[in-house]
């Protein structure tokens, strides 16, 4: 009868470490060929650019939020002012007509 336990494939850890070391040494040998630019400074530069882009995007998001709040406040204030002007004009309409007709 077979065991129902999960079977984990057996792979030696040392072999993995050795293969990584050999890949790293191959990479180092290939990266140092004459006339070829190393990748590390270029990758670092790209990471720096990405960091600045993310910072700028956060600033843009904050600016958009601020603009939305200002627009909402301005729209509310404009509505209140127009409502008050309409109410005053409606309640004093007969006085305005008499002023204009004289």
């Amino acid at each position: 009868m077979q065991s129902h336990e999960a079977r984990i494939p057996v792979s030696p850890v040392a072999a993995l470490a050795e293969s990584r070391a050999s890949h790293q040494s191959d990479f180092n040998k290939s990266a140092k060929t004459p006339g070829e630019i190393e990748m590390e400074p270029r990758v670092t530069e790209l990471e720096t650019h990405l960091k600045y882009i993310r910072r700028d995007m956060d600033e843009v998001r904050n600016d958009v939020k601020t603009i939305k709040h200002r627009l909402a406040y301005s729209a509310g204030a404009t509505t209140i002012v127009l409502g008050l002007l309409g109410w005053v004009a409606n309640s004093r309409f007969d006085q305005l007509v008499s002023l204009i007709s004289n």
Side-chain angles (χ1 to χ4, degrees):
M1 185 168 211
Q2 292 182 349
S3 171
H4 293 291
E5 295 177 10
R7 297 195 185 257
I8 300 172
V10 178
S11 61
V13 176
L16 179 63
E18 289 171 5
S19 81
R20 288 191 71 180
S22 68
H23 287 300
Q24 185 65 29
S25 66
D26 290 343
F27 176 74
N28 289 338
K29 288 177 187 174
S30 67
K32 294 181 182 178
T33 58
E36 200 173 317
I37 300 173
E38 290 184 15
M39 291 294 290
E40 185 64 31
R42 293 170 62 191
V43 170
T44 304
E45 184 179 354
L46 288 172
E47 288 173 345
T48 304
H49 286 303
L50 184 61
K51 186 188 331 178
Y52 289 134
I53 289 171
R54 287 185 179 188
R55 186 198 64 199
D56 292 343
M57 289 300 298
D58 288 339
E59 290 177 6
V60 168
R61 282 189 195 113
N62 289 334
D63 292 343
V64 168
K65 284 181 185 178
T66 302
I67 291 170
K68 282 182 180 179
H69 290 303
R70 287 182 183 174
L71 283 174
Y73 178 76
S74 298
T78 303
T79 302
I80 290 172
V81 168
L82 288 176
L84 287 173
L85 287 175
W87 177 71
V88 168
N90 190 25
S91 65
R92 303 291 182 186
F93 183 72
D94 46 338
Q95 289 179 354
L96 289 173
V97 171
S98 66
L99 286 173
I100 293 173
S101 63
N102 287 335

